[in-house]
Amino acid sequence: MAAITSICLGNLRKRKVQNLLIALLILLSTLLMNTSITVIANSEDLYEDLHQETQGSHEILNLTQGLHNPQQIADWWASQEGVTASVLLPYRPLAGVTYKGEEIPNQYLYMMNTPDRPFGTDELVFAQGKETPLPAPGAVWIPTSLAYKNEIAVGDELQFKAGSTQLTLKVSAIVIDLPLGGPFSTTARIWLNDTDYGHYLGGLPGSDSYFMGIRFTDYSQHEAYWERFENYLGVPFMEERLTYEELSSFYFIMNKIIGFVMSFLGIVMILVALFTIGFTISDSILSSYTTIGIFKSLGLSSRKIIVTYILQYSLLSLVAILPGVVFSRLLSRIIIEQSLSFLKTAQTSIPIQNIGTSVSVGAGMLLVILLCVWLYASKTRPIQPMQAIRYGMSEAAYSGINKRGNRNKRRSSDFERWPVSVVIGLRNVTRNVKGSLLMLLLTTVTTAVLVFGLVLVNSISQMQKTAPLWGYDSANVVIRIVNASELDRAALERDIRADSRIVNLNWAGHAIGVVPGNRMQHSTSTTGQAQSISIPLTVVEGSMDEMGLANITGRNPQNPNEISIGINISRQLGKELGDIIELYIEGKRHSFTVTGIYQSIANMSFQARVTADVVTKLNPDDGYMNLSDVQDSDDIVRQLNDQYSSSIQAVKQQTLLDSVFKEASAVLIIPMSILGLLFLMVSWLIIYSTCRIHIRKETKPYGIYKSIGLTSNTIRGAVTWGIVGLSLIGAGLGILCGISLLPHLLRGLLSSYGIVKLPLFMNWTGISLLALLSITVAGLGCWIASRVILKTTPRILVSE
């Protein structure tokens, strides 16, 4: 054992740079793998814990159209065993909130008449401010999704448009509103005192709408409850119904994307680490062939020599894995706190759980590394002491070298026509095949990471250029109706048509379509009967083509009996182009032909589009305008807001998209930047180490080159340009992977969210610069490693 320990420590001291590099690779592999698993697991655990703590709903009913009796529905659900139903939560919808004199864009408000707590489900968690039974008169509670995104604090004042009245209320608390306060939300529940609600909102046209939450003791039985409920009603439920999957999905989407990228790159990193370990062990065996032969001649068995390598890499792995696990939890906390900041309170930080998972990941990494070490170290078994001492290698390898040397002499004339520097560079690459493959792989992976990060962040930040492929319109300016009772729509349309800068105007509103259970083909319950589903409908008055709404197959509806459906509706119902769908809309049955199928990140593609002819009377929410010159957008927005400020809010499309997806870009920038820097650093270190090892082996030829007149810098430049050429090939492959392979893998993740064709926006200037950066890092690593050539003495090398 003393001999094994002595040899192990000697190997650690002798190869400091290589050992340090391998330890760094193992650390980074552990960091990436453990971070990805921790981020995904903790995101779901955090949501589930809060969902359990707040008695979160599994489904929410939104009763807006008066097609059912709200109290009758509430009483039925309250009477069911195994179900917890909330009280009816009355509200009035508003559009338009002003903070510090500026209107917050793209924000729909549900002004809630706060009942006595507890509500029954979806209890509020106070993130900031003093917890009270009810909001005080003149005060409101607002959700973290509205407050954190717009930097609103307790004590600030907000202005709301309530008909002709400008309502000013002070924020007394910021609350976590779990079902409707998630990331990318454009809705917010504003909780008012009953007195303020009646005084300011009771006189508005129309009647109250209601939310009601439903929580099942056994969620797997929810379909059976719904069958009994619709049998009780005698008709399908005609109002909006939000499922648990819809309520929870967008809490996880960003962390799933980050986790996917990190886990994929972590696997790549550990493969690079294993390749490097194998390369290092093989190189160590070859360079110490004679020494190993001497050890064997002195009685040291092959098994003990293998144990020497296992012990060496066990120590390296433990030194690297332990900090990797610790740092991964710190990085996980940063990512989770940024992406799930809406679930954080002022008193507590977001906890990071699952320490057992981290330990398991570390143990798994150690096991894989030791298995790799055992496989490569087993190459010492065939070593024969006499051959090792005499030849420094096996006799067969020695004979092979002599034969190759004779062949190389015959082939040397082929290089006589090439410049000397080119021959030196090619020789450096071709004589070090494993090292060259490793450097090629590193440059490919590094470029792919950098390019994919740029493409992903850029595609989200530049979403206005691919908006129709995300399920949005491509209109230049959108008019949001915030006070329909005071809007003179005819006068507004006359003014718009009289403006030569405006090409067209189309209106859109929303409705609910219900697929009756007896028409379902692919959604059956556990009892064997089909369950009806509720589909949000975009109802368009005008041309969907002019609005810029796009389909991945087929076309937009043009006639009253046509419909375009989201990809997940198509999957769930088993409907394709030309198929017939029957829907209840406003209590009436309609039959539609599917003319288009589209993808949309909103509602996870569980939605559809129809023309305004299918509803009794369209109450439009938005108007969509296209301009002759998009540069006129600011002037037109300002003009419309000045003229119709009491009834509409005009905004640019870019403003609307930024209000939703700017936070996605911000969340992605930090982890993608960290990954890019990590891979650049690893690429530089490995290329530096690999080149340094190979250059030291080739000191005699380089000395000979110097003796015949080549300068050190000429030789260094030739070697470096060889690596640059190799990395150029790797960068080209990396670009292909970054814009094709990695996005293709990401599509598999986003498919469940309704995106089957990932809309990418290519910034070729940025892609080229990042590829150039990867090549520069490789060349720089080789140039610095080649400094040893400066210290060579031709006289000594030739004499040897």
Side-chain angles (χ1 to χ4, degrees):
M1 188 63 189
I4 292 175
T5 305
S6 177
I7 295 171
C8 173
L9 295 177
N11 287 338
L12 290 173
R13 286 193 299 267
K14 184 179 178 182
R15 299 175 178 269
K16 294 187 182 68
V17 175
Q18 283 179 292
N19 290 329
L20 178 63
L21 176 62
I22 290 171
L24 179 61
L25 283 172
I26 296 172
L27 186 151
L28 294 179
S29 303
T30 307
L31 176 67
L32 292 175
M33 289 296 294
N34 199 51
T35 298
S36 65
I37 294 173
T38 302
V39 165
I40 293 173
N42 277 271
S43 298
E44 297 185 3
D45 288 349
L46 179 64
Y47 179 86
E48 290 293 343
D49 290 347
L50 196 56
H51 190 264
Q52 183 71 27
E53 178 187 337
T54 61
Q55 288 292 295
S57 296
H58 291 119
E59 293 181 350
I60 287 184
L61 309 185
N62 188 6
L63 307 170
T64 62
Q65 301 179 30
L67 299 175
H68 301 285
N69 184 319
Q71 193 59 55
Q72 179 187 14
I73 289 175
D75 291 342
W76 189 90
W77 282 106
S79 66
Q80 302 302 302
E81 292 186 6
V83 175
T84 302
S86 75
V87 298
L88 287 173
L89 300 172
Y91 75 90
R92 292 293 185 99
L94 289 182
V97 54
T98 302
Y99 175 58
K100 293 184 177 179
E102 294 187 7
E103 195 160 12
I104 298 175
N106 201 24
Q107 196 69 54
Y108 289 97
L109 306 173
Y110 301 126
M111 309 300 287
M112 309 298 299
N113 185 4
T114 310
D116 293 334
R117 297 165 61 209
F119 301 153
T121 65
D122 301 314
E123 303 299 339
L124 301 177
V125 177
F126 283 72
Q128 294 180 22
K130 183 179 179 182
E131 182 173 355
T132 56
L134 292 170
V140 291
W141 301 336
I142 66 171
T144 53
S145 56
L146 176 63
Y148 293 170
K149 189 160 51 176
N150 298 285
E151 299 181 349
I152 302 172
V154 172
D156 290 344
E157 289 187 342
L158 301 177
Q159 288 77 41
F160 305 91
K161 293 180 181 178
S164 58
T165 305
Q166 184 79 358
L167 175 60
T168 300
L169 296 169
K170 182 178 290 188
V171 177
S172 63
I174 297 172
V175 297
I176 298 175
D177 189 356
L178 194 63
L180 297 179
F184 318 115
S185 175
T186 58
T187 60
R189 294 202 285 194
I190 310 297
W191 302 87
L192 289 82
N193 179 278
D194 177 67
T195 303
D196 291 336
Y197 182 88
H199 179 68
Y200 294 112
L201 302 174
L204 294 180
S207 57
D208 286 349
S209 297
Y210 297 90
F211 281 118
M212 191 181 79
I214 301 171
R215 181 178 176 85
F216 301 97
T217 303
D218 182 0
Y219 181 59
S220 65
Q221 298 299 313
H222 73 284
E223 292 179 348
Y225 281 105
W226 267 95
E227 289 172 18
R228 293 202 298 270
F229 173 57
E230 292 189 330
N231 287 335
Y232 165 75
L233 292 178
V235 294
F237 180 70
M238 302 291 179
E239 303 272 15
E240 183 178 9
R241 171 189 171 198
L242 300 174
T243 65
Y244 175 76
E245 290 73 21
E246 293 174 284
L247 296 172
S248 62
S249 60
F250 285 97
Y251 279 99
F252 310 139
I253 184 170
M254 291 310 301
N255 285 345
K256 282 185 177 180
I257 292 174
I258 294 170
F260 156 77
V261 174
M262 284 193 162
S263 59
F264 177 81
L265 298 179
I267 292 172
V268 172
M269 186 73 81
I270 189 60
L271 291 176
V272 171
L274 295 177
F275 187 91
T276 306
I277 289 170
F279 171 76
T280 303
I281 293 175
S282 298
D283 180 72
S284 173
I285 291 172
L286 290 175
S287 61
S288 305
Y289 208 91
T290 301
T291 304
I292 294 173
I294 294 172
F295 287 157
K296 284 194 169 186
S297 69
L298 295 175
L300 200 64
S301 67
S302 296
R303 184 179 63 82
K304 291 182 178 179
I305 293 174
I306 293 172
V307 170
T308 301
Y309 285 103
I310 291 176
L311 179 60
Q312 174 186 341
Y313 286 98
S314 296
L315 294 173
L316 281 178
S317 299
L318 289 175
V319 168
I321 288 174
L322 292 177
V325 170
V326 174
F327 292 151
S328 71
R329 296 186 70 80
L330 297 176
L331 181 58
S332 300
R333 182 180 297 278
I334 294 172
I335 294 172
I336 293 172
E337 288 195 350
Q338 187 177 18
S339 59
L340 294 179
S341 59
F342 298 162
L343 302 182
K344 185 169 63 173
T345 70
Q347 296 78 25
T348 59
S349 60
I350 294 178
I352 304 297
Q353 303 171 358
N354 293 330
I355 185 65
T357 303
S358 300
V359 173
S360 299
V361 171
M365 296 283 289
L366 179 61
L367 182 63
V368 169
I369 290 166
L370 295 184
L371 179 61
C372 174
V373 171
W374 177 77
L375 288 173
Y376 277 94
S378 296
K379 292 181 180 181
T380 59
R381 292 185 186 276
I383 295 177
Q384 299 297 321
M386 292 301 296
Q387 293 180 8
I389 295 171
R390 181 176 181 182
Y391 301 115
M393 61 188 72
S394 67
E395 187 173 359
Y398 182 77
S399 300
I401 287 177
N402 290 333
K403 293 178 181 178
R404 285 196 299 271
N406 294 330
R407 287 197 299 267
N408 290 336
K409 288 178 183 179
R410 291 193 296 267
R411 293 175 181 175
S412 61
S413 60
D414 295 339
F415 290 95
E416 292 178 356
R417 298 187 300 270
W418 293 31
V420 174
S421 58
V422 174
V423 174
I424 294 173
L426 286 174
R427 187 177 184 274
N428 179 63
V429 171
T430 57
R431 282 181 62 84
N432 182 24
V433 176
K434 288 186 178 179
S436 297
L437 287 175
L438 179 58
M439 289 185 280
L440 179 67
L441 175 64
L442 276 171
T443 311
T444 300
V445 172
T446 302
T447 306
V449 171
L450 294 173
V451 169
F452 176 68
L454 173 67
V455 169
L456 182 60
V457 174
N458 196 49
S459 296
I460 294 176
S461 62
Q462 299 291 327
M463 189 173 283
Q464 79 277 6
K465 296 175 180 174
T466 57
L469 296 177
W470 291 95
Y472 298 100
D473 62 277
S474 62
N476 303 129
V477 175
V478 178
I479 298 172
R480 290 286 167 87
I481 298 177
V482 297
N483 188 359
S485 61
E486 291 195 0
L487 175 64
D488 187 343
R489 185 176 162 191
L492 173 62
E493 289 180 346
R494 282 196 302 271
D495 290 342
I496 288 174
R497 292 194 179 97
D499 194 328
S500 60
R501 298 171 297 176
I502 301 174
V503 177
N504 53 57
L505 169 66
N506 297 280
W507 296 95
H510 296 87
I512 298 296
V514 177
V515 181
N518 58 4
R519 298 295 179 181
M520 296 284 290
Q521 297 178 13
H522 289 260
S523 180
T524 57
S525 69
T526 54
T527 61
Q529 295 184 1
Q531 183 185 8
S532 64
I533 61 170
S534 175
I535 303 175
L537 301 177
T538 299
V539 185
V540 176
E541 181 184 284
S543 171
M544 296 185 194
D545 294 330
E546 290 180 355
M547 289 171 58
L549 299 177
N551 298 277
I552 54 177
T553 58
R555 60 171 176 82
N556 287 316
Q558 298 172 353
N559 300 308
N561 65 336
E562 296 177 341
I563 189 171
S564 180
I565 59 176
I567 184 66
N568 276 333
I569 290 295
S570 172
R571 291 168 174 167
Q572 186 170 7
L573 300 183
K575 300 295 184 179
E576 299 295 337
L577 296 181
D579 291 344
I580 303 298
I581 291 181
E582 290 193 356
L583 294 179
Y584 279 99
I585 303 175
E586 297 177 331
K588 298 179 181 179
R589 177 172 286 186
H590 298 262
S591 182
F592 298 96
T593 301
V594 178
T595 62
I597 297 174
Y598 65 95
Q599 62 180 19
S600 174
I601 193 69
N603 294 105
M604 301 170 63
S605 289
F606 284 105
Q607 55 183 6
R609 299 166 180 161
V610 295
T611 64
D613 302 291
V614 302
V615 298
T616 305
K617 181 182 178 182
L618 177 66
N619 295 313
D621 301 310
D622 308 295
Y624 299 86
M625 297 188 300
N626 289 308
L627 311 181
S628 300
D629 186 353
V630 73
Q631 301 299 324
D632 295 326
S633 298
D634 289 321
D635 291 338
I636 291 175
V637 165
R638 184 166 50 251
Q639 178 182 325
L640 289 173
N641 284 332
D642 289 343
Q643 188 173 355
Y644 296 94
S645 60
S646 63
S647 55
I648 69 166
Q649 178 191 28
V651 290
K652 296 190 298 182
Q653 186 212 38
Q654 178 66 59
T655 303
L656 295 177
L657 292 174
D658 284 347
S659 67
V660 178
F661 294 102
K662 205 169 186 179
E663 61 183 283
S665 298
V667 170
L668 282 173
I669 284 174
I670 290 179
M672 296 309 297
S673 299
I674 291 173
L675 288 175
L677 290 174
L678 285 177
F679 272 85
L680 282 173
M681 180 178 64
V682 169
S683 179
W684 183 87
L685 286 172
I686 293 180
I687 290 173
Y688 167 80
S689 175
T690 305
C691 290
R692 189 168 179 265
I693 293 169
H694 186 65
I695 289 170
R696 285 189 179 277
K697 289 181 180 180
E698 296 290 314
T699 49
K700 184 174 181 178
Y702 295 147
I704 295 173
Y705 298 153
K706 293 176 81 171
S707 69
I708 60 176
L710 294 181
T711 65
S712 296
N713 284 337
T714 301
I715 300 171
R716 294 178 69 193
V719 172
T720 301
W721 279 112
I723 299 302
V724 168
L726 184 69
S727 63
L728 184 62
I729 298 173
L733 295 174
I735 290 175
L736 291 177
C737 293
I739 65 176
S740 179
L741 176 61
L742 288 175
H744 177 74
L745 295 175
L746 182 59
R747 286 188 196 103
L749 174 66
L750 293 179
S751 177
S752 61
Y753 286 86
I755 299 296
V756 294
K757 294 183 179 179
L758 186 60
L760 299 177
F761 182 76
M762 301 296 176
N763 182 345
W764 289 108
T765 300
I767 290 172
S768 301
L769 289 175
L770 289 177
L772 183 60
L773 176 61
S774 182
I775 295 169
T776 302
V777 166
L780 189 62
C782 181
W783 177 260
I784 296 175
S786 66
R787 285 184 302 179
V788 295
I789 296 175
L790 296 172
K791 302 176 182 178
T792 59
T793 305
R795 184 182 306 167
I796 297 175
L797 291 168
V798 172
S799 66
E800 288 179 353

